[in-house]
Amino acid sequence: MATTQQPLAPQLQDRPRVLVVGGGYVGLYVALKLQKKIANAGGIVTVVDPLPYMTYQPFLPEVAGGNIEARHAVVSHRQHLKQTELIQGRVTAIDHANRKAVVAPADGGAPFEIPYFDVVLAAGAITRTFPIPGLADKGIGLKTIEEAVALRNKVLSKIELASTMTDPEARKAALTFVVVGGGFAGIEAITELEDMARQAVRENPRVDQSEIRFVLVEAMGRIMPEVTAEQAEWVVEHLRSRGIEVLLNTSLADAEDKLKLINMADKSPAGEFAADTLIWAAGVQANPMVRSTDFPLEPRGRVRVLPDLRIAGDEGIIDNAWAAGDVAAVPDLTGKGLPDGTCVPNAQHALRQAKVLAKNLWASRWDKPMHDYKHKNLGAVAGFGSWKGVANINLLGRIGLKGPLAWIAHRGYHGMAMPTFERKFRVVGGWFLSLFSGRDTTQLVDLDNPRGAFEAAARPAPKPAETASK
């Protein structure tokens, strides 16, 4: 364990600390529920995350599609965690035996140790990728707000640039958009982007809708395992009715030059074509930071926990250690989770697990009874662009919805699930305005080089040499 290089503020050093590793769904709600109670008891809640906000990931497709303002899909830690100590950085190691963690500041400063009394692992998940040639260079995920904004601008930029291209092959590649992964994230991403692209083309007379090509690549024989087989088939028909190509039992094999596909049944070639935009939405995996801890992990790399969300290994419960969300293998007591008996890694479970964890952690301080996490899945909702969607709602029985009603259910559920009233108001207000003003297809350029214009002005091009006098 490294020695302390950068001490914390003196007034906080001796206060019993609840260290929350990660500021996503679980981290935000644990801190919201505990910050006042812990402070009144003489302690402090500390959240460590490299970002100063929590991202509501179900909204990323709508951010990419221009239906939600990017800042409205995130929740500021500083604004809403008034009684929480916030550290912008990454926890790189945890020594629970000595109740210490190593934090690497986000600004690249020297790592330092931070002591704690309780630790909550809430580091979430990262995009799961495979060693496919060219994927790291050409692909982009849809797991962060930055990726969603970049995708929106890239799609709009490609349409605009293609409209003045004279090389037919370059133009075709620019107007080809590929999404790998047929789960909720991939389906919502490709439909929102297709909807936005359709509007952008209507506004640009130099591009015809027939030139736009969207391709969905899914390795399994069906899409969206969260909905019924009948609904999944309807979704495929819906996508194809919009001109979206759906390639099932197909996998991406190479992305270095042209995209090369293979048939999963016999590993035979399934075609190749050029595409300037490759979106990877083929699943997630637990944050690998948990491998730098002394906590027990299960085969998929998640922390092992009991139904009450305490971390436990073969030798029993580990005191003062908790975990929830995508980074934890939480037993699903309803019996309807993953094949290994754990909860599906989604926002619905993470939000509810966080509230149970906060109650149990506080109860453990006073030797009060703790409760197991048990939540019946309310169903699944997905939006496919304006007034289009699919929903599978479990209330008084299973209710299947398609089209506008499903889209309304999608927006209603996520509008309520968005953390904090202030963010709900901004999101819902934006939706209301879009009913009259439509989807925003304004392209923002040069976000990766914001100083370009200033540098050009500050470093004017040299004047051409004066003609020598005769």
Side-chain angles (χ1 to χ4, degrees), residues 409-444:
H410 158 75
R411 287 206 158 178
Y413 173 79
H414 287 300
M416 291 188 294
M418 180 69 188
T420 76
F421 176 79
E422 172 255 342
R423 289 292 145 168
K424 294 181 198 291
F425 183 80
R426 292 180 186 274
V427 169
V428 174
W431 281 339
F432 181 76
L433 289 176
S434 69
L435 292 176
F436 301 96
S437 58
R439 186 189 298 266
D440 190 348
T441 57
T442 305
Q443 174 194 349
L444 300 178

mmCIF file of all heavy atoms in Angstrom, residues 409-444:
data_model
loop_
_atom_site.group_PDB
_atom_site.id
_atom_site.type_symbol
_atom_site.label_atom_id
_atom_site.label_comp_id
_atom_site.label_asym_id
_atom_site.label_seq_id
_atom_site.Cartn_x
_atom_site.Cartn_y
_atom_site.Cartn_z
ATOM 1 N N ALA A 409 -45.204 4.852 -22.300
ATOM 2 C CA ALA A 409 -44.812 4.111 -21.097
ATOM 3 C C ALA A 409 -43.314 4.256 -20.847
ATOM 4 O O ALA A 409 -42.867 4.406 -19.698
ATOM 5 C CB ALA A 409 -45.189 2.644 -21.246
ATOM 6 N N HIS A 410 -42.543 4.225 -21.915
ATOM 7 C CA HIS A 410 -41.084 4.389 -21.815
ATOM 8 C C HIS A 410 -40.743 5.740 -21.208
ATOM 9 O O HIS A 410 -39.964 5.838 -20.246
ATOM 10 C CB HIS A 410 -40.476 4.244 -23.211
ATOM 11 C CG HIS A 410 -39.128 4.871 -23.379
ATOM 12 N ND1 HIS A 410 -37.984 4.323 -22.871
ATOM 13 C CD2 HIS A 410 -38.760 6.016 -24.003
ATOM 14 C CE1 HIS A 410 -36.951 5.092 -23.172
ATOM 15 N NE2 HIS A 410 -37.399 6.127 -23.859
ATOM 16 N N ARG A 411 -41.326 6.769 -21.728
ATOM 17 C CA ARG A 411 -41.025 8.105 -21.212
ATOM 18 C C ARG A 411 -41.577 8.308 -19.800
ATOM 19 O O ARG A 411 -40.948 8.948 -18.962
ATOM 20 C CB ARG A 411 -41.577 9.164 -22.159
ATOM 21 C CG ARG A 411 -40.778 9.267 -23.448
ATOM 22 C CD ARG A 411 -40.870 10.624 -24.076
ATOM 23 N NE ARG A 411 -39.756 10.867 -24.974
ATOM 24 C CZ ARG A 411 -39.608 11.982 -25.687
ATOM 25 N NH1 ARG A 411 -40.520 12.936 -25.594
ATOM 26 N NH2 ARG A 411 -38.561 12.160 -26.454
ATOM 27 N N GLY A 412 -42.761 7.746 -19.533
ATOM 28 C CA GLY A 412 -43.336 7.883 -18.201
ATOM 29 C C GLY A 412 -42.478 7.213 -17.152
ATOM 30 O O GLY A 412 -42.204 7.804 -16.087
ATOM 31 N N TYR A 413 -42.033 5.989 -17.428
ATOM 32 C CA TYR A 413 -41.221 5.271 -16.439
ATOM 33 C C TYR A 413 -39.894 5.975 -16.198
ATOM 34 O O TYR A 413 -39.500 6.229 -15.046
ATOM 35 C CB TYR A 413 -40.961 3.829 -16.898
ATOM 36 C CG TYR A 413 -39.987 3.121 -15.985
ATOM 37 C CD1 TYR A 413 -40.408 2.605 -14.759
ATOM 38 C CD2 TYR A 413 -38.639 3.008 -16.319
ATOM 39 C CE1 TYR A 413 -39.506 1.985 -13.901
ATOM 40 C CE2 TYR A 413 -37.736 2.395 -15.469
ATOM 41 C CZ TYR A 413 -38.182 1.889 -14.264
ATOM 42 O OH TYR A 413 -37.286 1.293 -13.408
ATOM 43 N N HIS A 414 -39.185 6.306 -17.277
ATOM 44 C CA HIS A 414 -37.860 6.896 -17.093
ATOM 45 C C HIS A 414 -37.941 8.338 -16.586
ATOM 46 O O HIS A 414 -37.015 8.801 -15.901
ATOM 47 C CB HIS A 414 -37.063 6.821 -18.386
ATOM 48 C CG HIS A 414 -36.590 5.431 -18.697
ATOM 49 N ND1 HIS A 414 -35.761 4.730 -17.860
ATOM 50 C CD2 HIS A 414 -36.858 4.597 -19.744
ATOM 51 C CE1 HIS A 414 -35.516 3.536 -18.362
ATOM 52 N NE2 HIS A 414 -36.175 3.422 -19.512
ATOM 53 N N GLY A 415 -39.029 9.029 -16.899
ATOM 54 C CA GLY A 415 -39.209 10.353 -16.322
ATOM 55 C C GLY A 415 -39.329 10.282 -14.811
ATOM 56 O O GLY A 415 -38.769 11.113 -14.081
ATOM 57 N N MET A 416 -40.030 9.273 -14.309
ATOM 58 C CA MET A 416 -40.158 9.099 -12.855
ATOM 59 C C MET A 416 -38.871 8.560 -12.242
ATOM 60 O O MET A 416 -38.516 8.907 -11.113
ATOM 61 C CB MET A 416 -41.319 8.154 -12.554
ATOM 62 C CG MET A 416 -42.689 8.718 -12.866
ATOM 63 S SD MET A 416 -44.027 7.645 -12.265
ATOM 64 C CE MET A 416 -43.784 6.203 -13.315
ATOM 65 N N ALA A 417 -38.161 7.695 -12.971
ATOM 66 C CA ALA A 417 -36.966 7.063 -12.414
ATOM 67 C C ALA A 417 -35.754 7.991 -12.409
ATOM 68 O O ALA A 417 -34.798 7.746 -11.669
ATOM 69 C CB ALA A 417 -36.637 5.800 -13.205
ATOM 70 N N MET A 418 -35.767 9.047 -13.201
ATOM 71 C CA MET A 418 -34.637 9.965 -13.230
ATOM 72 C C MET A 418 -34.416 10.552 -11.834
ATOM 73 O O MET A 418 -35.331 11.108 -11.231
ATOM 74 C CB MET A 418 -34.922 11.091 -14.227
ATOM 75 C CG MET A 418 -33.806 12.120 -14.343
ATOM 76 S SD MET A 418 -32.346 11.418 -15.124
ATOM 77 C CE MET A 418 -31.158 12.746 -14.902
ATOM 78 N N PRO A 419 -33.219 10.436 -11.267
ATOM 79 C CA PRO A 419 -32.970 10.933 -9.912
ATOM 80 C C PRO A 419 -33.132 12.440 -9.789
ATOM 81 O O PRO A 419 -32.786 13.182 -10.715
ATOM 82 C CB PRO A 419 -31.518 10.526 -9.648
ATOM 83 C CG PRO A 419 -31.257 9.401 -10.592
ATOM 84 C CD PRO A 419 -32.059 9.724 -11.819
ATOM 85 N N THR A 420 -33.668 12.872 -8.673
ATOM 86 C CA THR A 420 -33.874 14.247 -8.209
ATOM 87 C C THR A 420 -34.985 14.955 -8.998
ATOM 88 O O THR A 420 -35.101 14.790 -10.218
ATOM 89 C CB THR A 420 -32.594 15.110 -8.272
ATOM 90 O OG1 THR A 420 -32.308 15.505 -9.605
ATOM 91 C CG2 THR A 420 -31.408 14.368 -7.678
ATOM 92 N N PHE A 421 -35.756 15.732 -8.275
ATOM 93 C CA PHE A 421 -36.872 16.461 -8.886
ATOM 94 C C PHE A 421 -36.371 17.480 -9.905
ATOM 95 O O PHE A 421 -36.992 17.683 -10.955
ATOM 96 C CB PHE A 421 -37.687 17.170 -7.805
ATOM 97 C CG PHE A 421 -38.801 18.012 -8.361
ATOM 98 C CD1 PHE A 421 -39.991 17.433 -8.768
ATOM 99 C CD2 PHE A 421 -38.635 19.383 -8.497
ATOM 100 C CE1 PHE A 421 -41.017 18.204 -9.302
ATOM 101 C CE2 PHE A 421 -39.656 20.167 -9.027
ATOM 102 C CZ PHE A 421 -40.855 19.572 -9.428
ATOM 103 N N GLU A 422 -35.244 18.091 -9.588
ATOM 104 C CA GLU A 422 -34.707 19.123 -10.475
ATOM 105 C C GLU A 422 -34.403 18.562 -11.864
ATOM 106 O O GLU A 422 -34.731 19.168 -12.880
ATOM 107 C CB GLU A 422 -33.441 19.705 -9.827
ATOM 108 C CG GLU A 422 -32.664 20.668 -10.717
ATOM 109 C CD GLU A 422 -31.393 20.048 -11.286
ATOM 110 O OE1 GLU A 422 -30.930 19.023 -10.740
ATOM 111 O OE2 GLU A 422 -30.899 20.566 -12.300
ATOM 112 N N ARG A 423 -33.823 17.340 -11.918
ATOM 113 C CA ARG A 423 -33.516 16.747 -13.212
ATOM 114 C C ARG A 423 -34.768 16.228 -13.901
ATOM 115 O O ARG A 423 -34.886 16.286 -15.129
ATOM 116 C CB ARG A 423 -32.510 15.612 -13.037
ATOM 117 C CG ARG A 423 -31.132 16.111 -12.684
ATOM 118 C CD ARG A 423 -30.505 16.872 -13.848
ATOM 119 N NE ARG A 423 -29.687 17.986 -13.378
ATOM 120 C CZ ARG A 423 -28.852 18.669 -14.134
ATOM 121 N NH1 ARG A 423 -28.707 18.381 -15.403
ATOM 122 N NH2 ARG A 423 -28.174 19.683 -13.644
ATOM 123 N N LYS A 424 -35.712 15.696 -13.129
ATOM 124 C CA LYS A 424 -36.982 15.280 -13.736
ATOM 125 C C LYS A 424 -37.622 16.470 -14.446
ATOM 126 O O LYS A 424 -38.126 16.350 -15.572
ATOM 127 C CB LYS A 424 -37.947 14.780 -12.659
ATOM 128 C CG LYS A 424 -37.547 13.512 -11.928
ATOM 129 C CD LYS A 424 -38.632 13.165 -10.911
ATOM 130 C CE LYS A 424 -38.151 12.188 -9.852
ATOM 131 N NZ LYS A 424 -37.906 10.850 -10.379
ATOM 132 N N PHE A 425 -37.621 17.614 -13.781
ATOM 133 C CA PHE A 425 -38.258 18.812 -14.338
ATOM 134 C C PHE A 425 -37.581 19.225 -15.644
ATOM 135 O O PHE A 425 -38.249 19.567 -16.626
ATOM 136 C CB PHE A 425 -38.180 19.956 -13.318
ATOM 137 C CG PHE A 425 -38.864 21.209 -13.760
ATOM 138 C CD1 PHE A 425 -40.243 21.349 -13.654
ATOM 139 C CD2 PHE A 425 -38.135 22.262 -14.296
ATOM 140 C CE1 PHE A 425 -40.885 22.511 -14.070
ATOM 141 C CE2 PHE A 425 -38.754 23.421 -14.725
ATOM 142 C CZ PHE A 425 -40.139 23.541 -14.607
ATOM 143 N N ARG A 426 -36.247 19.178 -15.677
ATOM 144 C CA ARG A 426 -35.532 19.580 -16.888
ATOM 145 C C ARG A 426 -35.823 18.617 -18.047
ATOM 146 O O ARG A 426 -36.052 19.035 -19.180
ATOM 147 C CB ARG A 426 -34.028 19.624 -16.614
ATOM 148 C CG ARG A 426 -33.592 20.735 -15.667
ATOM 149 C CD ARG A 426 -32.078 20.685 -15.458
ATOM 150 N NE ARG A 426 -31.628 21.632 -14.461
ATOM 151 C CZ ARG A 426 -31.328 22.908 -14.702
ATOM 152 N NH1 ARG A 426 -31.436 23.374 -15.941
ATOM 153 N NH2 ARG A 426 -30.918 23.704 -13.747
ATOM 154 N N VAL A 427 -35.803 17.300 -17.746
ATOM 155 C CA VAL A 427 -36.031 16.307 -18.800
ATOM 156 C C VAL A 427 -37.449 16.399 -19.339
ATOM 157 O O VAL A 427 -37.672 16.465 -20.556
ATOM 158 C CB VAL A 427 -35.741 14.889 -18.274
ATOM 159 C CG1 VAL A 427 -36.235 13.833 -19.256
ATOM 160 C CG2 VAL A 427 -34.246 14.706 -18.027
ATOM 161 N N VAL A 428 -38.421 16.395 -18.431
ATOM 162 C CA VAL A 428 -39.821 16.440 -18.854
ATOM 163 C C VAL A 428 -40.116 17.759 -19.562
ATOM 164 O O VAL A 428 -40.859 17.796 -20.553
ATOM 165 C CB VAL A 428 -40.760 16.229 -17.652
ATOM 166 C CG1 VAL A 428 -42.214 16.414 -18.068
ATOM 167 C CG2 VAL A 428 -40.563 14.830 -17.062
ATOM 168 N N GLY A 429 -39.540 18.856 -19.067
ATOM 169 C CA GLY A 429 -39.724 20.147 -19.727
ATOM 170 C C GLY A 429 -39.181 20.138 -21.145
ATOM 171 O O GLY A 429 -39.800 20.669 -22.069
ATOM 172 N N GLY A 430 -38.015 19.497 -21.337
ATOM 173 C CA GLY A 430 -37.446 19.382 -22.677
ATOM 174 C C GLY A 430 -38.310 18.544 -23.598
ATOM 175 O O GLY A 430 -38.488 18.876 -24.774
ATOM 176 N N TRP A 431 -38.868 17.448 -23.054
ATOM 177 C CA TRP A 431 -39.773 16.618 -23.852
ATOM 178 C C TRP A 431 -40.996 17.420 -24.293
ATOM 179 O O TRP A 431 -41.448 17.309 -25.432
ATOM 180 C CB TRP A 431 -40.221 15.415 -23.043
ATOM 181 C CG TRP A 431 -39.219 14.300 -22.972
ATOM 182 C CD1 TRP A 431 -38.184 14.068 -23.831
ATOM 183 C CD2 TRP A 431 -39.171 13.265 -21.997
ATOM 184 N NE1 TRP A 431 -37.495 12.951 -23.449
ATOM 185 C CE2 TRP A 431 -38.070 12.437 -22.338
ATOM 186 C CE3 TRP A 431 -39.941 12.949 -20.875
ATOM 187 C CZ2 TRP A 431 -37.731 11.308 -21.573
ATOM 188 C CZ3 TRP A 431 -39.602 11.835 -20.129
ATOM 189 C CH2 TRP A 431 -38.506 11.028 -20.480
ATOM 190 N N PHE A 432 -41.534 18.216 -23.364
ATOM 191 C CA PHE A 432 -42.729 19.007 -23.677
ATOM 192 C C PHE A 432 -42.433 20.009 -24.794
ATOM 193 O O PHE A 432 -43.208 20.161 -25.736
ATOM 194 C CB PHE A 432 -43.215 19.721 -22.421
ATOM 195 C CG PHE A 432 -44.455 20.550 -22.635
ATOM 196 C CD1 PHE A 432 -45.699 19.955 -22.750
ATOM 197 C CD2 PHE A 432 -44.364 21.937 -22.724
ATOM 198 C CE1 PHE A 432 -46.844 20.731 -22.953
ATOM 199 C CE2 PHE A 432 -45.492 22.706 -22.930
ATOM 200 C CZ PHE A 432 -46.739 22.099 -23.036
ATOM 201 N N LEU A 433 -41.291 20.682 -24.696
ATOM 202 C CA LEU A 433 -40.928 21.649 -25.730
ATOM 203 C C LEU A 433 -40.709 20.969 -27.078
ATOM 204 O O LEU A 433 -41.046 21.526 -28.127
ATOM 205 C CB LEU A 433 -39.656 22.397 -25.316
ATOM 206 C CG LEU A 433 -39.801 23.390 -24.167
ATOM 207 C CD1 LEU A 433 -38.450 23.988 -23.803
ATOM 208 C CD2 LEU A 433 -40.781 24.506 -24.537
ATOM 209 N N SER A 434 -40.150 19.749 -27.058
ATOM 210 C CA SER A 434 -39.875 19.061 -28.319
ATOM 211 C C SER A 434 -41.148 18.654 -29.044
ATOM 212 O O SER A 434 -41.120 18.426 -30.258
ATOM 213 C CB SER A 434 -39.003 17.827 -28.062
ATOM 214 O OG SER A 434 -39.722 16.822 -27.363
ATOM 215 N N LEU A 435 -42.281 18.549 -28.313
ATOM 216 C CA LEU A 435 -43.548 18.252 -28.978
ATOM 217 C C LEU A 435 -43.921 19.348 -29.965
ATOM 218 O O LEU A 435 -44.602 19.106 -30.959
ATOM 219 C CB LEU A 435 -44.663 18.092 -27.933
ATOM 220 C CG LEU A 435 -44.581 16.874 -27.013
ATOM 221 C CD1 LEU A 435 -45.707 16.925 -25.978
ATOM 222 C CD2 LEU A 435 -44.665 15.580 -27.827
ATOM 223 N N PHE A 436 -43.439 20.578 -29.698
ATOM 224 C CA PHE A 436 -43.769 21.715 -30.563
ATOM 225 C C PHE A 436 -42.589 22.098 -31.472
ATOM 226 O O PHE A 436 -42.797 22.474 -32.631
ATOM 227 C CB PHE A 436 -44.154 22.923 -29.709
ATOM 228 C CG PHE A 436 -45.323 22.668 -28.798
ATOM 229 C CD1 PHE A 436 -45.119 22.294 -27.478
ATOM 230 C CD2 PHE A 436 -46.628 22.758 -29.263
ATOM 231 C CE1 PHE A 436 -46.194 22.039 -26.631
ATOM 232 C CE2 PHE A 436 -47.706 22.510 -28.435
ATOM 233 C CZ PHE A 436 -47.489 22.137 -27.113
ATOM 234 N N SER A 437 -41.363 21.968 -30.944
ATOM 235 C CA SER A 437 -40.200 22.412 -31.719
ATOM 236 C C SER A 437 -39.525 21.284 -32.476
ATOM 237 O O SER A 437 -38.700 21.535 -33.367
ATOM 238 C CB SER A 437 -39.169 23.077 -30.794
ATOM 239 O OG SER A 437 -38.764 22.180 -29.770
ATOM 240 N N GLY A 438 -39.849 20.029 -32.151
ATOM 241 C CA GLY A 438 -39.245 18.891 -32.838
ATOM 242 C C GLY A 438 -37.870 18.534 -32.302
ATOM 243 O O GLY A 438 -37.342 19.159 -31.387
ATOM 244 N N ARG A 439 -37.301 17.511 -32.891
ATOM 245 C CA ARG A 439 -35.980 17.021 -32.499
ATOM 246 C C ARG A 439 -34.912 18.029 -32.900
ATOM 247 O O ARG A 439 -34.958 18.623 -33.982
ATOM 248 C CB ARG A 439 -35.735 15.683 -33.189
ATOM 249 C CG ARG A 439 -34.464 14.963 -32.777
ATOM 250 C CD ARG A 439 -34.215 13.776 -33.689
ATOM 251 N NE ARG A 439 -35.287 12.795 -33.594
ATOM 252 C CZ ARG A 439 -35.256 11.740 -32.793
ATOM 253 N NH1 ARG A 439 -34.215 11.546 -32.028
ATOM 254 N NH2 ARG A 439 -36.260 10.885 -32.782
ATOM 255 N N ASP A 440 -33.915 18.209 -32.039
ATOM 256 C CA ASP A 440 -32.829 19.150 -32.316
ATOM 257 C C ASP A 440 -31.754 18.464 -33.147
ATOM 258 O O ASP A 440 -31.116 17.515 -32.694
ATOM 259 C CB ASP A 440 -32.230 19.646 -30.998
ATOM 260 C CG ASP A 440 -31.262 20.799 -31.196
ATOM 261 O OD1 ASP A 440 -30.886 21.057 -32.352
ATOM 262 O OD2 ASP A 440 -30.874 21.442 -30.202
ATOM 263 N N THR A 441 -31.552 18.923 -34.375
ATOM 264 C CA THR A 441 -30.527 18.344 -35.243
ATOM 265 C C THR A 441 -29.375 19.320 -35.478
ATOM 266 O O THR A 441 -28.674 19.236 -36.483
ATOM 267 C CB THR A 441 -31.132 17.937 -36.601
ATOM 268 O OG1 THR A 441 -31.742 19.087 -37.209
ATOM 269 C CG2 THR A 441 -32.161 16.833 -36.431
ATOM 270 N N THR A 442 -29.179 20.223 -34.507
ATOM 271 C CA THR A 442 -28.070 21.163 -34.631
ATOM 272 C C THR A 442 -26.762 20.445 -34.351
ATOM 273 O O THR A 442 -26.590 19.818 -33.301
ATOM 274 C CB THR A 442 -28.223 22.330 -33.641
ATOM 275 O OG1 THR A 442 -29.494 22.953 -33.826
ATOM 276 C CG2 THR A 442 -27.124 23.355 -33.844
ATOM 277 N N GLN A 443 -25.845 20.544 -35.291
ATOM 278 C CA GLN A 443 -24.551 19.887 -35.150
ATOM 279 C C GLN A 443 -23.563 20.819 -34.456
ATOM 280 O O GLN A 443 -23.413 21.980 -34.809
ATOM 281 C CB GLN A 443 -24.023 19.512 -36.532
ATOM 282 C CG GLN A 443 -22.617 18.945 -36.536
ATOM 283 C CD GLN A 443 -22.029 18.917 -37.926
ATOM 284 O OE1 GLN A 443 -22.727 19.127 -38.911
ATOM 285 N NE2 GLN A 443 -20.727 18.686 -38.019
ATOM 286 N N LEU A 444 -22.883 20.292 -33.431
ATOM 287 C CA LEU A 444 -21.814 21.032 -32.769
ATOM 288 C C LEU A 444 -20.492 20.490 -33.294
ATOM 289 O O LEU A 444 -20.258 19.284 -33.294
ATOM 290 C CB LEU A 444 -21.890 20.867 -31.247
ATOM 291 C CG LEU A 444 -23.186 21.356 -30.593
ATOM 292 C CD1 LEU A 444 -23.158 21.087 -29.095
ATOM 293 C CD2 LEU A 444 -23.393 22.838 -30.865
#
